[in-house]
Amino acid sequence: MSEFSSLTEAVIKGDIQTAVAETQSALDAGSNVQDILDKGLIAAMDEVGEKFSTGQMFVPQMLRSAKTMQECMKLIKALFQEGQLRAKGKIVIGTVRQDLHDIGKNLVAMMMEGAGFSITDLGVDVSPKDFTQKAQEVGADIVAMSALLSTTMPAMRETIEALQEAGIRDKVKVMIGGAPVTENFASEIKADSYAPDAGSAVIAAKKLLGIT
Ligand code: B1M
């Protein structure tokens, strides 16, 4: 059991007040910030992802845990900018062109942030050009696209083509997901990865970047 087990437990339960207090007291006690993140917060989100993927936890509880994690992150985020924490990789995420559904995409983004990735969230209705420009600008490791409409899935292929045309397809991994998206579709459009839910998306992102 880690020294941050009360923090981990509070995040899993979605108990914002306790989790924030535990984070603050760990910081006040001089705990290593990377440890608070890895052993306290990320450990909690790993478990939440696992419980969600195996049907032991549902969307509202997962959102609550993700929100709890985000509130704790506010306390330690400034230290990221000061370079005291290592981001696991840079992910540019968005819902594809002409698609306004963002609940699932937000969940994926929150879980990925919870897993220690640096997230640039472009929001909804993101054009292939915008995905490409932002990926170039931030030096993204992964472009992550969400689509909830069968009519907007082709925009995923077009985004991959735009990355290709911009000459960065070999520098960036592409991950896709969303209710109508399938593993077959991912292979068809030559995406690097597909994930059916937010918990699996984190596992897939780690796998893409060779993080164990
Ligand atoms: Co829309 N809608 N909607 N809608 N809507 C669906 C998707 C639909 C299935 C409803 C239905 O007909 N049964 C249907 C799509 C049919 C299809 O094409 N297959 C539909 C339709 C038709 C429409 C409109 C066209 C309706 C209309 O106006 N005639 C319209 C389109 C607007 C547009 O986008 N241009 C529309 C509008 C809307 C609202 C704006 C009202 C609202 C969206 C609000 C918002 O997101 N801010 C809405 C909603 C809420 C839904 C439903 C009810 C719920 C979607 C949702 O949030 N699910 C949906 C029906 C349904 O799914 N039961 C429906 C919860 C969310 C947590 O799950 O998004 O699947 P999900 O995300 C999951 C996974 O898919 C995965 O992880 C998430 C967490 O586990 N995942 C990824 C998602 N992205 C991922 C990315 C990854 C990896 C995993 O890697 C990058």
Side-chain angles (χ1 to χ4, degrees), residues 52 98 100-104 144-146 148-150 177-179 195-198:
F52 182 71
Q98 291 189 356
L100 303 176
H101 296 84
D102 67 357
I103 298 168
M145 292 182 267
S146 178
L148 260 287
L149 300 172
S150 38
D197 59 61

Side-chain angles (χ1 to χ4, degrees), residues 69-87:
M69 161 94 191
Q70 283 189 325
E71 291 300 318
C72 297
M73 281 297 290
K74 283 183 190 165
L75 296 178
I76 58 174
K77 218 165 191 170
L79 300 166
F80 259 122
Q81 274 116 39
E82 288 167 21
Q84 291 186 35
L85 289 171
R86 298 179 306 273

Side-chain angles (χ1 to χ4, degrees), residues 1-200:
M1 191 183 279
S2 103
E3 60 195 295
F4 305 108
S5 56
S6 316
L7 171 58
T8 303
E9 208 176 301
V11 175
I12 295 168
K13 280 190 188 150
D15 178 349
I16 295 179
Q17 214 180 349
T18 305
V20 167
E22 287 289 337
T23 304
Q24 189 59 59
S25 72
L27 286 171
D28 293 345
S31 296
N32 180 292
V33 181
Q34 190 77 49
D35 283 349
I36 300 175
L37 183 67
D38 291 342
K39 298 180 187 166
L41 300 174
I42 293 179
M45 295 312 280
D46 282 348
E47 198 166 329
V48 168
E50 170 72 24
K51 282 182 186 290
F52 182 71
S53 294
T54 55
Q56 297 170 66
M57 213 171 189
F58 301 97
V59 170
Q61 295 149 291
M62 190 175 179
L63 281 172
R64 180 86 190 165
S65 292
K67 169 87 182 140
T68 306
M69 161 94 191
Q70 283 189 325
E71 291 300 318
C72 297
M73 281 297 290
K74 283 183 190 165
L75 296 178
I76 58 174
K77 218 165 191 170
L79 300 166
F80 259 122
Q81 274 116 39
E82 288 167 21
Q84 291 186 35
L85 289 171
R86 298 179 306 273
K88 289 216 165 82
K90 293 180 192 162
I91 299 182
V92 167
I93 190 167
T95 303
V96 297
R97 188 178 55 206
Q98 291 189 356
D99 198 322
L100 303 176
H101 296 84
D102 67 357
I103 298 168
K105 182 267 296 169
N106 291 345
L107 209 46
V108 171
M110 284 192 273
M111 289 298 289
M112 285 178 163
E113 186 171 38
F117 291 99
S118 155
I119 303 297
T120 303
D121 188 346
L122 299 178
V124 297
D125 190 15
V126 182
S127 68
K129 190 172 156 223
D130 287 348
F131 269 116
T132 304
Q133 278 180 351
K134 193 49 89 175
Q136 275 175 315
E137 189 186 314
V138 305
D141 298 297
I142 298 178
V143 167
M145 292 182 267
S146 178
L148 260 287
L149 300 172
S150 38
T151 50
T152 59
M153 284 166 58
M156 293 177 151
R157 187 197 297 271
E158 289 166 39
T159 303
I160 292 177
E161 286 165 0
L163 293 168
Q164 184 88 45
E165 277 159 28
I168 58 165
R169 179 64 186 95
D170 56 342
K171 296 191 185 72
V172 71
K173 302 285 184 194
V174 174
M175 169 186 282
I176 63 171
V181 177
T182 61
E183 186 96 59
N184 274 349
F185 180 71
S187 339
E188 193 188 310
I189 66 168
K190 300 191 169 53
D192 299 297
S193 184
Y194 154 78
D197 59 61
S200 322

